[in-house]
């Protein structure tokens, strides 16, 4: 009798969970952005939030939780209830670079989340303030070699993709510039545009408007080929630095244990949003490429990128100060 009761209870629990997932969502969904407003992660999140909300039938509210190179927001997202009402934006910084360098980050990017979809792949770029003496790649590297330690670069945070990719760039070119970490790309960009820091390694969408306004000068870009928006800017591969020629990604994660029915609903909602011409146009205008892959494909991508950056950290003997 006791065994039958347990079986009946388990069946009822599963049925209740299934009904709950089918009814989802019945209230607004929170989308954690683990960086400050103004950066690429925030831009992509806000482009997708409204159409995703329409697809789900509930509003999707963007919540910026900056700090620790994205680690604070990602940790909060990993600890959220697996009910679909707290999702988060995944970046290379939060799912690969930062966990690779920060052993105390508090979450495992592979096991503590349920990947849903990679929204877009985004080029990364080194750009400088117009007052910086070098405005092209050759003179940029020559100046840094001539004046080691004199210059500094900004990133969205210690352990982020901008930090690790710049450190990789430094090791391959034998230059030295000082790292100035910020609480997101937005604040970092403000200081580079304002001239407080001369150099930044950033994701293209947040830097591109300033480049188009000639408030930043592009030096070199991480992309499969030269970009139509920056036809005169070489790729890292062109200048002989293929290991640095890695694009960023922006996807959506749920906490581990989130029911498959909810994962599928959010995935379908994002796919529907990406089919909207205005959404597609807005994302592609940033220089990003729409991906829209499956949860399984995104999970494999996260695993692969995490392994790559663990290798970078080990090879370059990097550690957080």
């Amino acid at each position: 009798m006791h065994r039958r009761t347990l079986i009946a209870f388990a069946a009822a629990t599963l049925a209740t969970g299934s009904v709950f997932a089918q009814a989802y969502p019945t209230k607004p969904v929170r989308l954690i952005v683990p960086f400050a407003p103004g950066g690429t992660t925030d831009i992509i999140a806000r482009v997708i939030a409204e159409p995703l909300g329409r697809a789900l039938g509930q509003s999707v509210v963007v919540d910026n939780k900056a700090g620790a190179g994205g680690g604070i927001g990602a940790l909060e997202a990993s600890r959220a209830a697996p009910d679909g009402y707290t999702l988060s934006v995944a970046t290379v910084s939060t799912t690969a670079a930062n966990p690779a360098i920060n052993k105390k980050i508090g979450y495992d990017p592979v096991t503590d989340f349920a990947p849903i979809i990679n929204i877009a792949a985004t080029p990364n770029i080194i750009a400088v303030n117009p007052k910086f003496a070098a405005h092209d790649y050759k003179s940029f590297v020559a100046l840094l070699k001539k004046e080691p330690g004199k210059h500094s670069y900004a990133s969205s945070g210690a352990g982020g993709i901008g930090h690790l990719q710049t450190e990789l760039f430094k090791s391959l070119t034998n230059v030295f510039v000082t790292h100035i970490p910020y609480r997101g790309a937005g604040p970092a960009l403000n200081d580079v545009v304002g001239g407080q820091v001369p150099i930044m390694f950033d994701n293209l969408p947040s830097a591109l408007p300033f480049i188009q306004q000639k408030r930043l000068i592009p030096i070199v870009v991480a992309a499969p080929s030269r970009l139509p928006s920056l036809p005169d800017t070489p790729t890292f591969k062109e200048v002989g630095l293929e290991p640095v020629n890695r694009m960023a990604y922006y996807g959506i994660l749920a906490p581990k244990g989130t029911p498959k029915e909810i994962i599928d609903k959010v995935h379908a909602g994002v796919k529907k949003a990406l089919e909207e011409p205005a959404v597609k146009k807005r994302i592609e205008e940033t220089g990003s490429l729409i991906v829209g892959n499956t949860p399984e494909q995104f999970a494999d991508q996260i695993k692969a990128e995490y392994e790559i950056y663990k290798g970078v950290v080990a090879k370059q003997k990097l550690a957080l100060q």
Side-chain angles (χ1 to χ4, degrees), residues 179-301:
H179 180 215
I180 310 294
Y182 285 77
R183 288 175 61 85
L189 275 166
N190 288 338
D191 274 9
V192 177
V193 171
Q196 286 85 355
V197 183
I199 305 165
M200 184 170 182
F201 199 122
D202 189 27
N203 305 128
L204 183 62
S206 46
L208 186 58
F210 296 103
I211 293 171
Q212 292 170 334
Q213 297 164 13
K214 301 190 185 306
R215 299 170 71 188
L216 287 178
I217 305 297
I219 299 298
V220 58
V221 65
S225 59
R226 290 202 182 198
L227 303 172
S229 57
L230 299 172
D232 298 324
T233 305
T235 67
F236 281 101
K237 183 177 181 179
E238 282 183 71
V239 300
L241 299 177
E242 189 165 3
V244 195
N245 204 51
R246 308 195 63 77
M247 296 178 73
Y249 54 68
Y250 297 89
I252 294 182
L253 303 175
K256 68 177 179 181
T258 300
K260 183 178 184 301
E261 294 93 338
I262 291 177
I263 298 294
D264 291 343
K265 278 192 176 182
V266 176
H267 182 272
V270 175
K271 289 284 285 185
K272 185 176 180 180
L274 292 176
E275 291 171 359
E276 294 188 19
V279 174
K280 187 172 184 290
K281 181 174 183 289
R282 181 68 184 92
I283 291 175
E284 290 179 343
E285 281 177 346
T286 68
S288 303
L289 307 174
I290 289 176
V291 179
N293 59 6
T294 67
E296 294 77 18
Q297 289 169 332
F298 191 30
D300 289 343
Q301 189 173 9

